[in-house]
Amino acid sequence: MLKNSLRLIAFCVASAMTMGTMAQQKSVIFKNSFDSESDAKKWSLIYGAKLVAEQARNGTGALQVDEGEASVRSRVNLSEQGTLEFWIKTSTPATQYKINVLVASTQNADTGWVQVGQILGSNDSTEYHAKRISIDDPGKKFLRLDFEVTNGQAWLDDVSVEKILLDTALQKNQEKVIAEVLGKLRDDKNYQVQADALRTLGKNYAAQIDVQRQYLEYANGIYSSVTLVLATSERGKMANPLGYQTFKGIVSDVKRVASPIQKSRMESLLKPLGDIATATLNVMTQGAYQAFAEPFKTIVATTFDRVSYENAGVDRKARKFAEENGLKTFAKAEGFLGEVEKELNTVVALDKDLMDIQREVDKFRKDLDKHLKESLIAGGMGRGQENYNRVMSKDEPTRNAALQEINNYFILQAESYQNHSSSNTEFVQFMMKATGTMEETQVFKERFNQIASSVITFYDKFDRSVAKDQNPFSDEKDRNLWESHAVKVREYIQESKAAFAKAYM
């Protein structure tokens, strides 16, 4: 159930507000939706891809990638690199794709392209899915995407590169820093130069500790939005038959010809769904529906059976009604419950997506928590919980003091090396441990991008599930009720999506 799955993770509005104020400002460096002639001019389609006027996620166009290999390049000079986001859909769930992301300082040359990331996968449906990957490589101004698609076709839409500004060194190219430091240690035998390189590494090491803290807070608060809880709760009620006029009419017709025991049996079936008298609706689950649907249809069928209504103790008018309306009532019940089941399947699919995200977030949190503790040890802070709490503190001066201790530890190591009081072997081991820890932090950055992609895709599916054309009901009153719920859900989900983008993107 969507509502319960959200509550498995702690949430609070205050947490989201705190994170939103400390986090990011977003600016778009590059944006393309393949809709207009100007959009088309921003790309060089090298081979295997073409612009099409169908399969668009939004607007009127998309980039089609045929089975096999394909390559496209940006023609425009990007002012800087950042986070690449695009939406991809496939012709079947069996279609697989590999997308290599490359950057270069010039657009036309075949050499000089540097691979900065790779996206592998397949989509579990033929809907669009969001993908995000960091491409922070200073000096590289052009973007290239190389595709390998098997078992079908793929389409891209809504490609963007966004700059993310943080109060920390989140967007620093840690690999470049590490390479420069190790290069100085290897090539320059001057102790002063090497000690300075180590001090530089210390500053960046402390900065990446704070990056880990921020990603932990992002993961802890990724569902910190009461509007998402309200949206999922309202969405679950839309699959509850008890709220719809058709169902109320069926229940009324059954009660008209039912025996006392049949009425009692029906009321016990309806009780888990809510209160029909007060229009109190519970969130519908697949388990509740399965326990209810077939027994309810059985009650309808048996109640309108001649033997049953002739012995139910009802008046002649009720018996006449049963004789004339039995088949129609059962057909109406079966048709309506089929519409409810379609709606419920949509809710269940959203529930599964949310649970999958939850599992990924939980694993990310546990792995990053472990890595942060190991990073603190490598940074000279030891294993104590107190040191961990200081680094994770909401109080900025407390946090900064802890990070300064890490920086000071590197300064002490540099002085020790500069004064020849440390052996070269010990020094190299220290450097390898520190740089290895920093390199591992980059992995968590990309893992969070993947989680963010999943959440963005979830929002998109959720939003589309309450579009007007998704209304499953045939009766006009039922359609109007569904739409009244959908209006609320749309408002909640838009608020939640906007809050998520502001806080985490």
Side-chain angles (χ1 to χ4, degrees):
M1 184 169 61
L2 288 168
K3 186 177 180 181
N4 286 343
S5 62
L6 279 168
R7 284 178 171 168
L8 292 174
I9 298 178
F11 63 89
C12 65
V13 177
S15 171
M17 292 175 61
T18 300
M19 292 171 57
T21 56
M22 76 166 193
Q24 301 100 318
Q25 298 171 356
K26 181 176 68 172
S27 60
V28 177
I29 300 165
F30 175 80
K31 190 172 185 179
N32 194 282
S33 299
F34 308 106
D35 292 332
S36 64
E37 186 176 344
S38 62
D39 282 342
K41 290 179 179 179
K42 293 179 181 179
W43 293 98
S44 289
L45 310 183
I46 308 303
Y47 59 88
K50 62 182 179 182
L51 299 179
V52 294
E54 60 271 346
Q55 304 293 345
R57 174 177 175 263
N58 289 309
T60 58
L63 178 70
Q64 179 175 305
V65 181
D66 294 325
E67 186 167 7
E69 296 184 352
S71 182
V72 300
R73 300 176 186 177
S74 67
R75 281 179 172 164
V76 296
N77 187 323
L78 306 184
S79 60
E80 58 185 294
Q81 301 293 345
T83 301
L84 170 66
E85 177 182 304
F86 59 84
W87 291 77
I88 184 169
K89 68 172 291 185
T90 55
S91 53
T92 72
T95 304
Q96 296 184 315
Y97 51 82
K98 178 168 74 174
I99 305 172
N100 292 323
V101 182
L102 303 95
V103 292
S105 54
T106 59
Q107 189 264 337
N108 292 321
D110 289 328
T111 59
W113 291 94
V114 178
Q115 183 170 327
V116 292
Q118 185 181 83
I119 294 175
L120 291 164
S122 60
N123 296 350
D124 58 4
S125 71
T126 56
E127 298 174 338
Y128 270 100
H129 289 62
K131 300 295 176 183
R132 287 171 63 86
I133 189 169
S134 298
I135 52 171
D136 19 339
D137 193 331
K140 302 296 191 293
K141 302 301 183 183
F142 293 92
L143 174 66
R144 173 175 141 194
L145 302 177
D146 288 350
F147 300 85
E148 291 182 26
V149 179
T150 57
N151 300 324
Q153 295 173 306
W155 293 268
L156 248 68
D157 203 358
D158 296 333
V159 179
S160 64
V161 178
E162 296 170 352
K163 177 182 178 181
I164 301 175
L165 303 175
L166 286 175
D167 294 335
T168 69
L170 179 60
Q171 288 296 331
K172 283 185 177 293
N173 188 340
Q174 301 288 7
E175 294 180 1
K176 184 173 181 290
V177 171
I178 292 168
E180 288 178 351
V181 169
L182 292 179
K184 287 181 179 179
L185 293 172
R186 181 182 64 250
D187 300 332
D188 196 324
K189 303 306 179 184
N190 184 291
Y191 283 103
Q192 180 62 48
V193 172
Q194 293 179 334
D196 288 344
L198 182 54
R199 293 186 183 97
T200 300
L201 183 65
K203 293 178 182 178
N204 283 276
Y205 191 94
Q208 64 87 27
I209 289 287
D210 202 47
V211 169
Q212 293 184 54
R213 173 192 65 81
Q214 290 194 42
Y215 276 126
L216 268 176
E217 290 197 345
Y218 296 167
N220 288 337
I222 202 166
Y223 296 126
S224 299
S225 171
V226 70
T227 52
L228 181 56
V229 177
L230 290 171
T232 52
S233 174
E234 194 75 17
R235 190 70 186 84
K237 291 176 182 177
M238 291 166 71
N240 189 325
L242 211 58
Y244 293 96
Q245 194 63 40
T246 296
F247 186 73
K248 291 177 181 177
I250 294 168
V251 170
S252 177
D253 289 346
V254 170
K255 286 183 175 180
R256 185 175 178 179
V257 298
S259 67
I261 195 168
Q262 288 170 333
K263 290 179 182 178
S264 296
R265 173 61 178 142
M266 186 173 63
E267 288 172 359
S268 69
L269 277 176
L270 298 181
K271 192 173 182 180
L273 308 185
D275 189 335
I276 198 169
T278 60
T280 303
L281 303 179
N282 295 333
V283 175
M284 195 67 176
T285 67
Q286 193 169 41
Y289 178 82
Q290 289 173 346
F292 153 78
E294 288 303 320
F296 181 79
K297 284 192 283 186
T298 300
I299 286 178
V300 175
T302 56
T303 301
F304 280 90
D305 182 81
R306 179 182 294 272
V307 174
S308 176
Y309 65 72
E310 285 187 347
N311 292 282
V314 296
D315 60 29
R316 183 178 177 181
K317 188 176 180 181
R319 292 197 300 271
K320 178 74 171 175
F321 175 83
E323 184 178 353
E324 294 176 350
N325 294 279
L327 287 176
K328 288 190 292 185
T329 303
F330 182 80
K332 186 189 293 185
E334 195 166 42
F336 173 78
L337 289 177
E339 294 171 342
V340 168
E341 187 171 17
K342 180 182 177 182
E343 179 71 359
L344 181 61
N345 288 339
T346 300
V347 174
V348 169
L350 291 170
D351 186 23
K352 180 184 179 300
D353 289 344
L354 194 59
M355 292 297 289
D356 289 344
I357 292 170
Q358 178 193 316
R359 280 192 289 269
E360 286 301 312
V361 170
D362 286 345
K363 189 173 189 306
F364 176 86
R365 291 168 57 202
K366 290 175 184 176
D367 292 346
L368 183 54
D369 186 80
K370 181 172 180 274
H371 179 67
L372 176 57
K373 289 174 180 176
E374 292 172 350
S375 299
L376 294 179
I377 294 171
M381 292 199 77
R383 298 178 180 276
Q385 184 66 32
E386 181 182 351
N387 289 327
Y388 177 87
N389 293 341
R390 290 168 61 209
V391 168
M392 293 297 297
S393 174
K394 299 291 184 184
D395 180 64
E396 188 173 353
T398 300
R399 207 167 56 236
N400 289 341
L403 295 176
Q404 186 58 48
E405 287 182 24
I406 295 172
N407 192 24
N408 292 342
Y409 177 70
F410 276 79
I411 292 173
L412 287 174
Q413 294 296 322
E415 291 174 351
S416 176
Y417 179 66
Q418 188 174 342
N419 297 329
H420 313 294
S421 57
S422 294
S423 71
N424 193 56
T425 301
E426 290 175 345
F427 183 72
V428 170
Q429 288 176 344
F430 172 78
M431 288 297 302
M432 295 306 294
K433 177 65 175 176
T435 55
T437 300
M438 292 176 70
E439 287 171 346
E440 289 173 12
T441 301
Q442 296 298 310
V443 175
F444 289 98
K445 185 176 181 180
E446 290 312 321
R447 283 179 64 181
F448 188 82
N449 275 333
Q450 293 172 17
I451 290 171
S453 297
S454 297
V455 175
I456 295 166
T457 301
F458 173 78
Y459 274 125
D460 188 69
K461 286 184 178 180
F462 202 120
D463 209 5
R464 290 173 184 270
S465 80
V466 290
K468 288 181 180 291
D469 61 1
Q470 296 301 305
N471 193 323
F473 295 102
S474 54
D475 180 82
E476 189 63 27
K477 291 181 179 179
D478 294 340
R479 292 182 63 83
N480 290 340
L481 182 71
W482 186 93
E483 178 60 24
S484 68
H485 284 292
V487 168
K488 295 179 184 178
V489 172
R490 290 178 203 131
E491 292 174 356
Y492 291 144
I493 206 67
Q494 290 302 325
E495 289 177 22
S496 182
K497 186 161 55 171
F500 176 84
K502 183 179 180 180
Y504 307 113
M505 303 296 286

